[in-house]
Amino acid sequence: MFENLTDVTCYRLFDAAHVNNIASGGLLKPKFSETHTRNSGEESCRIFFFIKENSGTVMYNGNWKDIHDYQMFFIFPGEDFTMKCEKEATDCFYISFRLPGKIPWNNFDNVIVLNEFKREFLDLSISLASACLLKERDKSADILGHFLQRLDEIITKSSIVFATRHFDTSFKGFPRHFHAQEYQIDYCASGTGYYFMVDHWVKYSPGTFCFVPPPLVHESILSQTDKADIYGIKFLVANDRHILLPPREPFVVKVPPERRSKILSILKKITGQSVQDLPISSLMLNNLIALLHDLKNSLEYLEDANLLTQVKQAVDTGYSFPLKIADIALQLHLTPEHLSRQFKKLSGQTLASYINNLRINSSITMLVNTDMPLKQIASECGFKNVNYFNTVFKQRYAITPREMRRQNLSTTKRQDAPV
């Protein structure tokens, strides 16, 4: 896959000015501008491999990223990016090369190397920089080929790629960004604020659990006064039959207090081991994904129960009037078709049947306890006319309303007759 590599270049840079200058297209010149944009005519693939965290940022295809320890940024031909390292001292390997044919994993923009691979990638990078310095082209290509092959094995493996716990008053959230293939989880143990997901904001408070699949946009803003305790986890799921598939849709759920300890036990195991330092087992990843499905199902159950309650309340208070399904749907901000499907799914009967049953039950009370004319009963129970009332009633009881009234009168007289 990584054969016939050409124009291989590798430098190890300890000065942020040099990193920024290369990012802007320079050749290790002492001066550099504050904004560095990739030359879209560049044909080489480029990797910036940061050994040390830097307080600067990388903006790639409109997506904002921090710079962490042992993080690689992949810059592919024709892509624009902006890089600015704030700390003067840094430690970054710059790798440039050309690869004929289709570039693998070109939907990735960055990866953090886990602890079990750090030593290997550091040694490979040092060897590559040394071979390039000595202008050993064949050796440079061989080392880089091995480097990219090992990188491919990491990228195509299901794993938790980043986990952190923000536990102080200085953490104020993350700017708007997205992940090409990584799934994002954020859980608020304490603190308040707002979370942006896809196209709307939701309130952030203790117990708020947010799940965002790729490549959806998200952002968080926390209160300036509340002390935050936020868990953040990113994970990757490859084509692996041993790993559960995560939910496809994003969701936000307020976790009930009685369930929060279970969630924290899972999240603390992951963030407590600090994913950048220790590998995470497939079992732990499966436990995390199973938790996602459990929370999503709980949310759907609560939403369904709430919808059923809202519909029944609307019908119970309005069935005596000319009530249309379209009117109920309008109240609930749904389409009539969606409302009808959901009600049938949740209750086992059509919404029209539910409305007619309420009207019929109410009409029976009037039939057996009053001498009110049938036309008036039909009107007060919400039937459009007495003929429709008769039709619906007979379909259910096999007799007309008038016949039921007669039967009830006969039964009442027999019961009242002296023995």
Side-chain angles (χ1 to χ4, degrees):
M1 184 188 300
F2 300 105
E3 299 173 352
N4 302 318
L5 295 167
T6 60
D7 297 339
V8 178
T9 302
C10 180
Y11 302 105
R12 187 173 189 178
L13 308 173
F14 296 97
D15 190 324
H18 291 164
V19 177
N20 292 336
N21 199 47
I22 282 185
S24 66
L27 296 173
L28 299 179
K29 296 176 182 177
K31 294 184 179 181
F32 58 94
S33 60
E34 292 190 355
T35 301
H36 313 281
T37 304
R38 174 177 173 76
N39 178 3
S40 60
E42 175 66 53
E43 296 181 359
S44 297
C45 301
R46 297 198 275 179
I47 297 175
F48 290 86
F49 181 21
F50 286 88
I51 304 303
K52 292 183 179 179
E53 180 176 327
N54 196 289
S55 56
T57 58
V58 177
M59 183 70 72
Y60 184 53
N61 287 335
N63 195 21
W64 172 92
K65 295 285 183 182
D66 277 333
I67 299 173
H68 298 284
D69 293 345
Y70 281 84
Q71 185 169 19
M72 294 186 199
F73 293 93
F74 313 136
I75 313 298
F76 296 101
E79 299 291 347
D80 291 333
F81 77 102
T82 300
M83 179 178 293
K84 184 179 180 182
C85 294
E86 299 288 352
K87 289 182 181 178
E88 183 176 342
T90 190
D91 188 357
C92 175
F93 286 93
Y94 166 73
I95 303 170
S96 174
F97 61 94
R98 296 193 185 194
L99 176 64
K102 185 179 179 181
I103 301 171
W105 31 266
N106 61 358
N107 52 353
F108 268 81
D109 52 19
N110 78 99
V111 67
I112 295 176
V113 179
L114 303 186
N115 187 64
E116 57 184 315
F117 305 111
K118 284 181 179 179
R119 184 73 253 178
E120 178 183 4
F121 276 97
L122 179 58
D123 289 345
L124 284 170
S125 299
I126 292 172
S127 299
L128 179 60
S130 177
C132 289
L133 182 64
L134 297 174
K135 297 183 179 180
E136 298 173 335
R137 295 183 179 179
D138 292 341
K139 185 177 180 180
S140 298
D142 288 342
I143 295 172
L144 180 58
H146 183 56
F147 180 101
L148 296 176
Q149 183 62 47
R150 294 293 289 136
L151 189 59
D152 181 69
E153 292 170 7
I154 294 175
I155 289 176
T156 55
K157 177 182 178 182
S158 298
S159 61
I160 297 172
V161 297
F162 182 76
T164 186
R165 182 183 182 186
H166 301 282
F167 189 69
D168 53 39
T169 54
S170 63
F171 176 65
K172 301 307 176 188
F174 288 110
R176 196 163 299 185
H177 66 287
F178 64 90
H179 309 293
Q181 284 200 340
E182 296 162 354
Y183 295 83
Q184 175 78 32
I185 290 170
D186 290 291
Y187 177 71
C188 178
S190 69
T192 58
Y194 292 90
Y195 198 90
F196 180 85
M197 182 185 297
V198 186
D199 59 1
H200 65 283
W201 290 92
V202 295
K203 193 170 182 180
Y204 217 39
S205 59
T208 302
F209 189 104
C210 305
F211 169 69
V212 187
L216 302 181
V217 174
H218 51 287
E219 173 185 0
S220 61
I221 300 176
L222 297 179
S223 168
Q224 298 292 312
T225 57
D226 294 342
K227 187 174 182 179
D229 187 4
I230 307 294
Y231 293 80
I233 295 174
K234 291 187 292 185
F235 65 91
L236 172 68
V237 175
N239 295 325
D240 188 343
R241 62 186 179 88
H242 300 293
I243 302 296
L244 295 173
L245 290 177
R248 294 183 178 181
E249 301 297 328
F251 66 84
V252 177
V253 61
K254 188 64 175 290
V255 180
E258 64 272 14
R259 300 190 62 191
R260 294 177 190 176
S261 60
K262 178 183 177 181
I263 290 173
L264 283 174
S265 68
I266 294 175
L267 300 183
K268 283 182 177 179
K269 274 186 180 178
I270 296 172
T271 57
Q273 290 187 13
S274 189
V275 171
Q276 297 94 313
D277 297 326
L278 291 173
I280 297 297
S281 68
S282 58
L283 175 60
M284 190 172 291
L285 180 55
N286 272 331
N287 288 341
L288 182 64
I289 297 174
L291 172 65
L292 292 176
H293 285 288
D294 184 38
L295 289 173
K296 185 174 185 298
N297 292 337
S298 298
L299 176 63
E300 291 176 347
Y301 173 79
L302 292 173
E303 288 178 341
D304 289 344
N306 185 48
L307 174 63
L308 204 55
T309 299
Q310 288 181 306
V311 174
K312 289 184 175 181
Q313 285 177 346
V315 174
D316 292 352
T317 58
Y319 73 87
S320 59
F321 302 98
L323 187 63
K324 296 180 180 178
I325 294 176
D327 296 333
I328 302 173
L330 186 61
Q331 291 180 42
L332 302 178
H333 307 289
L334 301 172
T335 64
E337 294 78 14
H338 179 71
L339 174 60
S340 296
R341 283 195 303 269
Q342 286 300 101
F343 190 86
K344 177 70 180 295
K345 171 187 170 184
L346 300 173
S347 68
Q349 62 180 321
T350 65
L351 183 50
S353 296
Y354 178 76
I355 295 172
N356 279 336
N357 286 339
L358 280 178
R359 287 171 171 166
I360 289 293
N361 292 336
S362 179
S363 73
I364 291 175
T365 301
M366 295 181 186
L367 282 170
V368 301
N369 294 301
T370 73
D371 57 359
M372 189 182 296
L374 295 183
K375 185 176 180 180
Q376 185 179 351
I377 292 176
S379 177
E380 294 200 8
C381 291
F383 291 102
K384 57 186 177 182
N385 55 57
V386 70
N387 290 333
Y388 183 61
F389 172 42
N390 284 326
T391 300
V392 173
F393 196 96
K394 191 170 183 178
Q395 284 176 346
R396 179 168 179 180
Y397 291 106
I399 58 174
T400 65
R402 192 180 302 277
E403 289 170 336
M404 176 171 278
R405 173 175 272 178
R406 286 174 182 168
Q407 289 180 5
N408 180 71
L409 286 174
S410 299
T411 302
T412 303
K413 287 179 180 179
R414 286 197 301 269
Q415 291 175 347
D416 293 340
V419 178

